[in-house]
Amino acid sequence: MGMNFTFQESSVLYGMLAESSTDIIFKTDPDGAIVHASPGMERLGHKASDAAGGEGLAPQRLLLDLVAPEARQQVAKAHARALAGDDVDWFEFPALAEDSRKRWFELRLRALLRADGAPYGVLGVMRSVDELRSLSERLFTATYTDALTGLTNRAAFVSMLRHMLDAGMDGCLALFSIDFFRTINMQYGQSAGDEVLTVFGDLLRELLRTDDLISRIGSERFAVILPRVTPVEAEGICRRVVTTLADLKQTVGEGTFAVTASASVARIATSLDSTMGRAEMALFVARAKGRNRLEMEKPVRLAAG
């Protein structure tokens, strides 16, 4: 059985819902000035104004005053669409609290119409999505970050390399492999092996450029995407990593020993499989030649016709 409310009953029900809800319910005039807002607006630090009779904000407060600068055009267009009669469904935008902290909300807008159908304002509902965005960011971090080193993982590396190829960006791919890593684990223990990986990851961060994308893609293997460099430039950058590591004596646990790495460089071109294949082959050559060295990809020789 349906429920019918008088106007007074509907007003009381609205007040009860507005006071108990964490959503922010507001009404604007056609110019976007907020003429009424539910108590939830105080979550943004915007207090109700005495000039408005204790209900809502002062008329001078505009909806866009609550919006971060980068999203004001988006919200203004949505408000105009609502006035024109469109039902504006939920969309996210960053809002500004009184202390200038940025908080994320989703917003829904509907036109308020007179008896003759002419709009006299907009009714809006704002709902906080900070917790959802925080959870999403944590899930993203967990999905694409190597927990041990804090570097991006193989999934992120593949995505970034594919993006570079699709965008036609120039650059090189470098692969690094810690030499005799299995022996380190067996002789000194897995905790020592983990420390070696962490130290090498930190060394890569220190020696490589800010734009270089560093990932741990396997047990003892690291990949570096070097955007906008020639093979000659990439060779100089990566050779410095190999020689610097070899010159360091790592103190891990109770032991002090030398750690070295083998490395390779290939141009990012053609396809993901081609780029990886050429880099992997050069890395195989570096290890076959005695490790602790850098090898560049070999030019492809075409068969004589």
Side-chain angles (χ1 to χ4, degrees):
M1 180 169 122
M3 298 180 67
N4 295 316
F5 295 100
T6 66
F7 177 77
Q8 182 181 7
E9 290 168 342
S10 296
S11 297
V12 172
L13 177 61
Y14 163 76
M16 293 172 63
L17 292 174
E19 289 174 8
S20 62
S21 174
T22 57
D23 291 350
I24 299 171
I25 304 170
F26 64 88
K27 181 173 70 175
T28 76
D29 66 14
D31 295 325
I34 299 176
V35 295
H36 177 84
S38 67
M41 186 65 77
E42 295 186 5
R43 297 176 59 201
L44 285 175
H46 299 289
K47 301 292 185 182
S49 170
D50 292 338
E55 293 186 87
L57 302 177
Q60 291 76 22
R61 174 76 67 180
L62 299 176
L63 172 60
L64 295 185
D65 291 338
L66 311 180
V67 181
E70 65 269 24
R72 285 174 185 162
Q73 185 176 11
Q74 176 193 18
V75 173
K77 288 181 178 179
H79 188 268
R81 284 175 49 213
L83 274 176
D86 289 347
D87 289 343
V88 179
D89 274 329
W90 298 107
F91 67 93
E92 291 186 10
F93 75 98
L96 290 179
E98 280 290 287
D99 59 5
S100 298
R101 285 191 304 116
K102 188 181 296 185
R103 299 176 59 184
W104 283 89
F105 284 80
E106 57 182 2
L107 177 62
R108 190 176 189 181
L109 299 171
R110 294 289 187 275
L112 295 169
L113 305 176
R114 295 191 182 93
D116 61 1
Y120 67 89
V122 168
L123 186 67
V125 180
M126 288 170 57
R127 179 171 298 161
S128 175
V129 292
D130 269 346
E131 291 185 5
L132 288 176
R133 287 182 68 89
S134 177
L135 175 61
S136 176
E137 289 169 2
R138 290 199 300 270
L139 289 174
F140 180 88
T141 299
T143 302
Y144 293 106
T145 303
D146 175 58
L148 178 64
T149 62
L151 300 171
T152 51
N153 61 17
R154 186 178 185 87
F157 159 73
V158 170
S159 178
M160 291 184 291
L161 180 56
R162 184 174 284 121
H163 171 73
M164 279 196 65
L165 287 160
D166 291 344
M169 296 173 62
D170 292 329
C172 290
L173 168 64
L175 298 181
F176 294 89
S177 178
I178 302 294
D179 294 331
F180 305 109
F181 184 69
R182 192 170 301 176
T183 302
I184 293 172
N185 270 337
M186 292 176 61
Q187 185 170 347
Y188 297 96
Q190 185 173 342
S191 61
D194 288 349
E195 193 168 344
V196 167
L197 294 172
T198 302
V199 168
F200 186 62
D202 291 341
L203 181 68
L204 289 174
R205 288 188 184 94
E206 182 179 341
L207 295 182
L208 296 177
R209 307 171 307 164
T210 304
D211 292 342
D212 297 332
L213 307 170
I214 311 167
S215 304
R216 183 186 173 205
I217 61 171
S219 174
E220 77 284 9
R221 294 160 63 81
F222 295 77
V224 180
I225 297 174
L226 301 107
R228 298 176 296 277
V229 298
T230 66
V232 173
E233 292 169 333
E235 180 179 11
I237 294 169
C238 296
R239 194 174 298 282
R240 182 184 174 208
V241 173
V242 173
T243 56
T244 300
L245 180 65
D247 291 340
L248 296 175
K249 290 288 186 179
Q250 301 299 323
T251 300
V252 179
E254 298 180 355
T256 300
F257 52 88
V259 177
T260 63
S262 301
S264 65
V265 170
R267 227 169 44 84
I268 296 174
T270 309
S271 69
L272 190 148
D273 287 342
S274 169
T275 301
M276 285 296 296
R278 288 180 278 109
E280 291 278 10
M281 180 57 69
L283 182 62
F284 174 81
V285 172
R287 299 180 71 171
K289 287 186 175 181
R291 295 179 169 83
N292 188 25
R293 60 185 295 122
L294 169 71
E295 286 290 326
M296 304 294 291
E297 67 170 322
K298 301 300 181 186
V300 178
R301 295 181 181 179
L302 300 177

